[in-house]
Amino acid sequence: MSRFQEIFLDIESNILNQTYKAGELLPSENKLSKQYNVSRETIRKALTLLLESGYIQKKQGKGSIVLDVKRFDFPISGLTSYKELEEAQHINSETLLIKNQVETLPDQIASFLNIPPSSEVHAVIRGRKVDGETVILDKDYLLTSVIQELPDAEAQKSLYNYIEKELGLTIGYARKEFIVEPATKEDRELMTLHGDTHVVVTRSEVHLEDTTLFQYTESRHRLDKFRFVEFARRRPPMDYNK
Amino acid sequence: MSRFQEIFLDIESNILNQTYKAGELLPSENKLSKQYNVSRETIRKALTLLLESGYIQKKQGKGSIVLDVKRFDFPISGLTSYKELEEAQHINSETLLIKNQVETLPDQIASFLNIPPSSEVHAVIRGRKVDGETVILDKDYLLTSVIQELPDAEAQKSLYNYIEKELGLTIGYARKEFIVEPATKEDRELMTLHGDTHVVVTRSEVHLEDTTLFQYTESRHRLDKFRFVEFARRRPPMDYNK
DNA sequence: TGAGATTTGTCCGTATGTATT
DNA sequence: TAATACATACGGACAAATCTC
C-alpha cells in the first residue's frame, strides 16, 4: 500500500477512536509531514482522501477541522456489497439462493446496457432474509465471457468476494439508479411484502477496472427496509448552455 | 479560477461535445502538459476531477479512457439545488410558496441535529408543480443566526442562489438520507398523491464552508417522480474490527 | 489598524517505481 | 527488451486566507 493511503488509514482510525475529536483541528500539514516523516504533498494526498470521505473540512489559512462523523451510521454509498454491509452494521441475515443458472440476457436489459442481444450470462436470484422475512430480492446477471464459472456455494456467499479474491479481478466503478416501482408478481411471491404496493429498485451496471462491463444488478427492497445515506460536497453549478 | 479547474472544464466540454469520444484514450499526461503549457502535476489534478465525476477511467501503463457518459441523464447527486436541476433537465415546473415565516425549530429536529432546542429559524414550505400536479414538497429550516432575512420573493425563486449570490455565503457540504415513509395528512393535503400510501423522503443537514450548520431540509417526493442516479467507485472494504 | 507568523492552495521540476504494449 | 504511460514521492516557491499581538 502506498504511503499516503497508510497515513489516511492511520488518521482515519485516530478520528474514529477520538484521538482527534470532532470540532478540533488536525495538526497542520507541516507538523504532520514531520510527524510521519514524509513531504507535505504526501500529507495533502492523505488529507484529500479524508476530505472526500467526509471526515474533515479544510479551510485555507486555518486548518483541517474534524467533522462529527459519529452521529451518522456508516455510509452506504460507494459500491459496497451486501455481505460487507451486513458485517459493518452487524445485521443478522440469511441469504436464500433462489436461482443460479446460465441463460441468455433478456433483450430489454441488453438494449439498456447497449450490448449485443442474447449475450450469455449467469442469472442469479437471491433473497435476503431478516427476522424470518424476505425483505430484499437481488437479481444479478454476470457475463460468462468474464466470469466463466459460478458455483452455487460462492453465489450463496458473496459475489464480490468470489470475483475479487478468487478470480483476482478488480472491480472499478458502477452507475446506479434508484427508483420506486409497483411490486411485480415475482416480488409478491418471493418477498414478504405485507400487502405493499411498491418496492424500491436499485439498478446498476458494474464495470471492471479496465472498463469492461461484466454485471447488471437489480436489487428490490421492501419500502421499510430501504435507507440510503450520502455525503455530498457542493460543486459550482454546471453551465449547461455551452 | 485555478488552472487545473480550468483544464478540467475544458476537457469536460471536449468530452461532452465528443471531441474526445467514449472508448478512446485521452492524450497522455505528458502531451496534455505540453499542450496546456503546465506541469504534469497540474494535469493530474484536472484528470482526478474527471475521474471522480465519472468521465474517465485511468489505467496505469495505458492511459485515460473516456467513459460513455451520454447514456445516463445528468447525475442528480452532489448537492444540486432544485432550481439548478430544473434548468439542467429542462423541466417546466412552477414553485408554490406555501409558507415562509420565523418560528422555533421543532424539538424533534433540534435533537436530531444535535443543536440547542428552540433555535429560531425561517420555516419555508414550497410545492413543486409539474403539469398541474404538486409532486414534490420541500420543507426547509434556515437558522436565523446565519440567515437574517429571507424575503418571500427570494424563497419563491432559489434559496441557494439567494444564499450564495446575494448573501455571499459559501455552501460546503451536506449529509443526506433517503428513505420511504407513509404519507402524512399534510402530504395528502398539499400534494397530488392519487391515493399513494407512501412518499420518498430525503433529509439533509447543510453546512457552510466553515462547517457551521445553517439549514435542515426535508424533501418529500411522490413515488413516481423520484429518481436518483449515482456514480460510484469501488473502495476496498473497510476493516470494522479495529 | 496593521504587521508578522501560521496554514492551506497552487504550481513547478525532478526522480523513481510499476504496468502496458 | 525497450519505449511509453501512469503512480508515488520529495522539496521548493509563492499566493491567499486567517489569526495573533
Side-chain angles (χ1 to χ4, degrees):
Chain A
M1 188 177 316
S2 57
R3 196 79 186 93
F4 73 86
Q5 282 177 327
E6 289 173 1
I7 295 171
F8 161 71
L9 290 175
D10 193 55
I11 299 180
E12 179 192 43
S13 70
N14 282 335
I15 291 176
L16 291 176
N17 70 25
Q18 311 226 23
T19 303
Y20 298 133
K21 295 185 185 62
E24 293 180 355
L25 293 176
L26 287 185
S28 76
E29 295 177 351
N30 278 322
K31 282 178 188 162
L32 288 171
S33 75
K34 280 172 192 162
Q35 180 179 324
Y36 286 101
N37 209 19
V38 296
S39 76
R40 186 174 154 228
E41 275 302 313
T42 303
I43 292 295
R44 283 177 61 76
K45 278 186 186 165
L47 294 188
T48 297
L49 292 182
L50 290 167
L51 184 81
E52 287 166 356
S53 309
Y55 286 112
I56 64 171
Q57 175 77 2
K58 304 183 75 176
K59 192 74 196 290
Q60 185 176 166
K62 192 166 184 185
S64 298
I65 303 165
V66 179
L67 300 183
D68 189 2
V69 75
K70 272 277 147 51
R71 284 195 18 262
F72 256 74
D73 294 355
F74 289 104
I76 303 200
S77 76
L79 251 192
T80 306
S81 82
Y82 184 81
K83 197 72 187 173
E84 289 162 17
L85 274 185
E86 192 183 309
E87 289 168 11
Q89 306 203 330
H90 310 292
I91 297 172
N92 252 329
S93 80
E94 190 189 337
T95 296
L96 304 173
L97 184 60
I98 297 170
K99 177 164 106 173
N100 178 21
Q101 60 189 44
V102 174
E103 308 177 349
T104 58
L105 187 64
D107 285 350
Q108 193 187 349
I109 297 175
S111 77
F112 173 74
L113 292 177
N114 206 14
I115 61 174
S118 61
S119 301
E120 197 179 60
V121 293
H122 299 279
V124 182
I125 300 183
R126 294 174 297 178
R128 312 295 190 171
K129 211 166 176 178
V130 178
D131 298 335
E133 300 188 333
T134 306
V135 295
I136 301 176
L137 196 65
D138 278 342
K139 304 172 73 170
D140 294 275
Y141 298 93
L142 301 109
L143 291 174
T144 56
S145 53
V146 182
I147 313 286
Q148 278 80 26
E149 296 294 326
L150 183 55
D152 280 1
E154 297 291 345
Q156 174 83 34
K157 287 188 288 183
S158 167
L159 284 184
Y160 278 14
N161 184 69
Y162 174 63
I163 292 163
E164 298 201 307
K165 297 269 172 60
E166 298 293 322
L167 301 183
L169 300 172
T170 309
I171 295 168
Y173 59 95
R175 292 195 170 114
K176 283 188 187 178
E177 175 189 60
F178 301 81
I179 51 179
V180 180
E181 291 187 353
T184 64
K185 188 158 165 282
E186 186 183 52
D187 292 334
R188 286 189 293 272
E189 285 169 0
L190 298 177
M191 299 171 72
T192 316
L193 285 186
H194 298 312
D196 283 358
T197 55
H198 290 74
V199 293
V200 178
V201 181
T202 81
R203 297 196 165 83
S204 48
E205 43 172 283
V206 189
H207 298 251
L208 295 178
E209 215 175 27
D210 64 3
T211 76
T212 59
L213 172 70
F214 80 102
Q215 181 187 19
Y216 170 83
T217 295
E218 198 173 292
S219 191
R220 309 177 73 84
H221 304 248
R222 197 170 78 189
L223 295 182
D224 62 321
K225 292 298 178 184
F226 178 80
R227 178 163 179 264
F228 182 79
V229 177
E230 188 195 42
F231 179 85
R233 278 183 188 283
R234 174 74 167 159
R235 298 193 203 185
M238 260 183 81
D239 188 349
Y240 291 99
N241 297 322
K242 282 187 187 168
Chain B
M1 185 175 319
S2 57
R3 197 76 186 95
F4 72 87
Q5 282 176 328
E6 287 174 2
I7 295 172
F8 161 71
L9 290 176
D10 193 55
I11 299 180
E12 179 192 44
S13 69
N14 282 335
I15 291 176
L16 291 177
N17 70 27
Q18 312 231 17
T19 303
Y20 299 132
K21 296 185 184 61
E24 293 180 356
L25 293 176
L26 287 185
S28 74
E29 296 179 350
N30 278 321
K31 281 179 188 160
L32 287 171
S33 75
K34 280 172 193 163
Q35 180 180 323
Y36 285 101
N37 210 20
V38 296
S39 80
R40 195 176 144 226
E41 274 303 313
T42 304
I43 293 295
R44 284 175 61 75
K45 279 183 188 167
L47 294 188
T48 298
L49 292 182
L50 291 167
L51 184 81
E52 286 165 357
S53 309
Y55 286 114
I56 64 171
Q57 176 75 2
K58 302 180 76 174
K59 191 74 195 293
Q60 186 176 166
K62 192 165 185 185
S64 299
I65 303 166
V66 179
L67 300 183
D68 189 2
V69 75
K70 272 278 148 51
R71 286 194 18 262
F72 257 73
D73 293 354
F74 289 102
I76 304 200
S77 75
L79 250 192
T80 305
S81 82
Y82 183 82
K83 197 73 188 171
E84 289 162 18
L85 274 184
E86 193 183 310
E87 289 167 10
Q89 306 203 332
H90 309 291
I91 296 171
N92 252 330
S93 79
E94 191 187 338
T95 297
L96 304 174
L97 183 59
I98 297 169
K99 177 164 104 172
N100 178 23
Q101 61 189 43
V102 175
E103 308 177 348
T104 58
L105 188 63
D107 286 350
Q108 194 187 347
I109 297 175
S111 76
F112 173 76
L113 292 176
N114 205 16
I115 60 174
S118 61
S119 302
E120 195 179 61
V121 293
H122 298 280
V124 182
I125 300 184
R126 294 175 295 179
R128 311 296 190 171
K129 210 166 177 177
V130 178
D131 297 336
E133 300 188 333
T134 306
V135 295
I136 300 176
L137 196 64
D138 278 341
K139 303 172 74 170
D140 294 275
Y141 298 93
L142 300 109
L143 291 174
T144 56
S145 53
V146 182
I147 313 286
Q148 278 82 27
E149 296 293 330
L150 182 55
D152 281 359
E154 297 291 345
Q156 173 84 35
K157 286 187 287 183
S158 167
L159 285 184
Y160 278 15
N161 184 69
Y162 174 62
I163 292 163
E164 297 202 306
K165 297 269 173 60
E166 297 294 321
L167 300 182
L169 300 173
T170 309
I171 295 167
Y173 60 94
R175 292 190 170 119
K176 283 188 188 179
E177 175 189 59
F178 301 81
I179 51 179
V180 181
E181 292 187 353
T184 64
K185 185 157 166 285
E186 186 183 53
D187 292 334
R188 286 189 293 271
E189 285 169 0
L190 298 177
M191 299 170 72
T192 315
L193 284 187
H194 298 313
D196 283 358
T197 55
H198 291 74
V199 292
V200 178
V201 181
T202 82
R203 296 196 166 84
S204 48
E205 42 172 286
V206 189
H207 298 250
L208 295 179
E209 215 175 26
D210 65 1
T211 77
T212 57
L213 172 69
F214 80 100
Q215 180 186 18
Y216 169 84
T217 295
E218 200 173 291
S219 192
R220 309 177 72 86
H221 304 247
R222 198 171 77 188
L223 295 183
D224 62 321
K225 291 298 180 184
F226 178 79
R227 176 162 180 263
F228 181 78
V229 177
E230 188 195 42
F231 179 85
R233 279 182 187 283
R234 175 73 168 158
R235 295 193 206 187
M238 260 184 79
D239 187 352
Y240 290 98
N241 298 323
K242 282 188 184 168

